Amino acid sequence: MSSYYLPAGILLSTILILLLSIALKRSHIHAFLITGVGLIGACLVQVSLITAPATSELLFIFTPVNALVSAVLLVILVFLWSQLYHWLDKSDNTNEEYYLLLLTASLGAVSMIASQHFASFFLALELMSLSFVGLIAYSNHNRNSQEAGIKYLVLSAGASALILMGIALIYLQTGSLTFDAVSTSKLQHLGSSPLSLTTSGMIFILTGLCFKLSLVPCHLWVADIFEGAPLPTTALLAIVSKLAAFIVLWRMFSYGEWQTDSAILDVITLVAVASMLIGNLLALQQDRLLRILAFSSISHFGYLLIMLLLEGNTNLLNDMGFNLEAMIFYLLAYMLTLTGTFSVLMQLENNTSIQQLSGLFWRQPLQATCLSVLMLSLAGIPLTIGFMGKFYLVAAAISGQLWWPMSFLVIASVIGLYFYLRIIMIMLAKAERSSVSLKLDMRQSVTSWVIIVTVIGIGTFPSVFADMLRAVTH
């Protein structure tokens, strides 16, 4: 087996070992340790592959960019895994199967990131999506969790049907299932007109991925799913699923040259603008943290869609290497910030409403500071990783002269400032008694400090992270 397949192979081996362990003897601590060993092993191997030369096979493509994104994804999974034991130990459900579903979802996401063929992409997507159905509906005693699981199943089935229809139309037109089957050179060789079945197929696939990314107008039930699912599942859904789906969408634009189709560009532009504005406007009306994060995620991926408009941009001022660097920087910056946010929420109790955080600064200054830093990063305030990500995004949009989408990005960012800063002001308010009151242990304190140092450290000294991105994207 090629070394490029080792991370996926380690995850698959861990799944089989965990299945055998559960069959022989149920033990939460054993399942936790087996999962951790597998995730850490896959992560270490994936990090070593960042400097490996790029190679392409029929179903998968392995590049430094893929390796970096997969490595960051596995680092995030290890970080979330380290907090799972204490969170799941409080629940009344059996916990071993949760780790099994976590590993299968991780295997699906890693496979999606490396896919360059519709067959491998669809199989990996279904593996990940079906795992999330179980993860979302995992709580037997929570009706909201069961309802969220059914809603996600309906949305996932609809998205898969749309994607499968799109794949069928592209195969009918081109006779190939590779992502680059709809590239301009291959279509010209086939004598296909611009208004062919491929455009319809691309729109079907794009719509299905919009459901996976919860982009407008495919954002139905996203807040209900975020709020109803167990909190660790919500974190995995917001990070793992969306990261993998966006990378696949970018590869379709990059390798399939979707940007050469004016109809696709018009659709992407409208979806990006609508997602930026509507996502922030919906978040503006919410009083619950998870619903705010759900709707704000719509706007953040709306920002990222702008980068797809720069694919193939022939403007002399536009550097394609810088565009890719900006996209990856913003995507990873958002994912790291979101990981920190969910980590803090997992430490807090009764965190359904932001009003319950009133006076948190005076009760738990470390956690309040950590959550404030994360909110500032999501808002794009200077000296945070989120600001550097947005700076890269705006710089790339200016170099590509995307004035119209960028103007909506600025407007949406200003709207987003309100609800992020509102959370901080509520925590600063002096209350006689905070609804959130708990004593931090050493593990939670270390986690909070790691989050603060990471968000502010990369935001203040971004050159190390930027240089690494530049090395793999140029």
Side-chain angles (χ1 to χ4, degrees):
M1 181 176 65
S2 172
S3 60
Y4 295 98
Y5 291 101
L6 271 178
I10 292 172
L11 290 176
L12 182 57
S13 301
T14 307
I15 292 170
L16 297 176
I17 294 171
L18 184 56
L19 274 172
L20 183 61
S21 174
I22 294 173
L24 295 176
K25 181 182 179 181
R26 284 190 171 273
S27 171
H28 185 191
I29 187 64
H30 289 168
F32 173 77
L33 292 175
I34 291 170
T35 303
V37 170
L39 287 174
I40 294 172
C43 181
L44 293 175
V45 173
Q46 191 66 68
V47 169
S48 69
L49 292 174
I50 294 177
T51 57
T55 185
S56 177
E57 299 184 6
L58 176 62
L59 298 179
F60 300 100
I61 183 169
F62 303 98
T63 66
V65 173
N66 291 353
L68 176 64
V69 173
S70 296
V72 173
L73 175 62
L74 289 169
V75 167
I76 290 173
L77 285 168
V78 170
F79 187 74
L80 292 174
W81 160 82
S82 67
Q83 303 169 72
L84 264 181
Y85 182 84
H86 298 277
W87 199 93
L88 290 174
D89 205 39
K90 301 175 184 176
S91 67
D92 298 327
N93 302 300
T94 55
N95 299 313
E96 293 81 8
E97 287 83 358
Y98 193 94
Y99 296 100
L100 192 62
L101 291 171
L102 166 64
L103 288 169
T104 54
S106 304
L107 178 60
V110 169
S111 301
M112 273 182 68
I113 290 172
S115 293
Q116 67 164 352
H117 193 280
F118 284 115
S120 58
F121 154 61
F122 190 76
L123 289 174
L125 175 69
E126 289 305 292
L127 176 63
M128 183 181 69
S129 299
L130 291 175
S131 300
F132 272 115
V133 173
L135 287 170
I136 292 169
Y138 197 80
S139 179
N140 295 326
H141 311 294
N142 189 337
R143 293 184 62 184
N144 290 333
S145 176
Q146 304 295 313
E147 179 186 342
I150 293 173
K151 288 179 175 179
Y152 182 81
L153 177 62
V154 171
L155 291 178
S156 182
S160 297
L162 290 169
I163 291 172
L164 203 56
M165 183 64 183
I167 294 172
L169 290 175
I170 290 176
Y171 183 74
L172 177 64
Q173 181 73 18
T174 65
S176 174
L177 289 176
T178 57
F179 285 176
D180 64 353
V182 295
S183 62
T184 305
S185 59
K186 292 194 175 183
L187 288 180
Q188 287 176 348
H189 176 71
L190 292 170
S192 302
S193 62
L195 298 176
S196 60
L197 290 174
T198 55
T199 300
S200 302
M202 288 187 285
I203 290 176
F204 272 110
I205 295 172
L206 180 59
T207 305
L209 288 174
C210 281
F211 274 106
K212 294 297 180 182
L213 294 170
S214 304
L215 293 167
V216 174
C218 307
H219 60 289
L220 181 69
W221 294 334
V222 59
D224 296 338
I225 294 172
F226 265 56
E227 198 171 33
L231 195 53
T233 300
T234 305
L236 294 170
L237 184 64
I239 297 163
V240 176
S241 175
K242 294 194 174 186
L243 176 61
F246 185 82
I247 289 296
V248 166
L249 181 58
W250 162 73
R251 183 165 292 112
M252 289 177 182
F253 269 77
S254 177
Y255 289 76
E257 299 178 4
W258 287 22
Q259 69 280 353
T260 58
D261 193 313
S262 59
I264 297 295
L265 286 184
D266 291 340
V267 170
I268 286 290
T269 304
L270 290 174
V271 170
V273 170
S275 298
M276 287 187 286
L277 291 178
I278 294 176
N280 277 327
L281 288 174
L282 289 173
L284 201 62
Q285 305 173 41
Q286 306 305 314
D287 289 320
R288 296 176 180 271
L289 274 170
L290 292 177
R291 297 184 77 87
I292 290 174
L293 291 175
F295 288 123
S296 68
S297 72
I298 299 174
S299 62
H300 282 283
F301 279 96
Y303 302 151
L304 278 165
L305 283 186
I306 293 177
M307 303 309 299
L308 299 182
L309 300 176
L310 293 172
E311 284 292 332
N313 195 313
T314 57
N315 192 316
L316 293 177
L317 298 175
N318 204 37
D319 180 1
M320 294 306 297
F322 177 74
N323 292 341
L324 180 56
E325 181 185 341
M327 185 194 76
I328 298 298
F329 194 108
Y330 188 89
L331 180 62
L332 297 184
Y334 175 61
M335 290 303 163
L336 290 172
T337 305
L338 208 56
T339 302
T341 303
F342 279 107
S343 297
V344 174
L345 293 182
M346 287 170 65
Q347 297 175 11
L348 299 175
E349 296 176 356
N350 302 320
N351 53 60
T352 55
S353 171
I354 58 175
Q355 296 300 330
Q356 292 175 321
L357 296 175
S358 178
L360 185 63
F361 262 109
W362 314 106
R363 298 284 182 177
Q364 293 293 343
L366 178 57
Q367 287 198 310
T369 301
C370 185
L371 191 57
S372 298
V373 168
L374 291 163
M375 292 300 105
L376 292 174
S377 181
L378 289 172
I381 301 300
L383 299 183
T384 63
I385 188 174
F387 169 77
M388 290 308 304
K390 194 158 289 185
F391 175 81
Y392 266 87
L393 210 64
V394 171
I398 291 174
S399 68
Q401 298 185 2
L402 296 178
W403 307 116
W404 182 53
M406 194 185 69
S407 62
F408 284 98
L409 184 153
V410 173
I411 294 171
S413 298
V414 172
I415 296 173
L417 281 174
Y418 176 80
F419 55 81
Y420 289 128
L421 296 180
R422 178 187 173 205
I423 296 173
I424 298 175
M425 296 308 296
I426 287 175
M427 290 191 292
L428 278 169
K430 287 191 176 182
E432 292 185 4
R433 184 178 183 275
S434 173
S435 299
V436 178
S437 180
L438 55 127
K439 186 176 181 179
L440 290 182
D441 57 27
M442 180 61 69
R443 176 187 57 84
Q444 293 172 327
S445 298
V446 170
T447 300
S448 298
W449 277 113
V450 168
I451 294 169
I452 293 172
V453 170
T454 302
V455 172
I456 295 182
I458 299 179
T460 308
F461 306 102
S463 58
V464 176
F465 195 49
D467 289 343
M468 180 176 63
L469 288 179
R470 195 171 298 113
V472 301
T473 56
H474 284 70

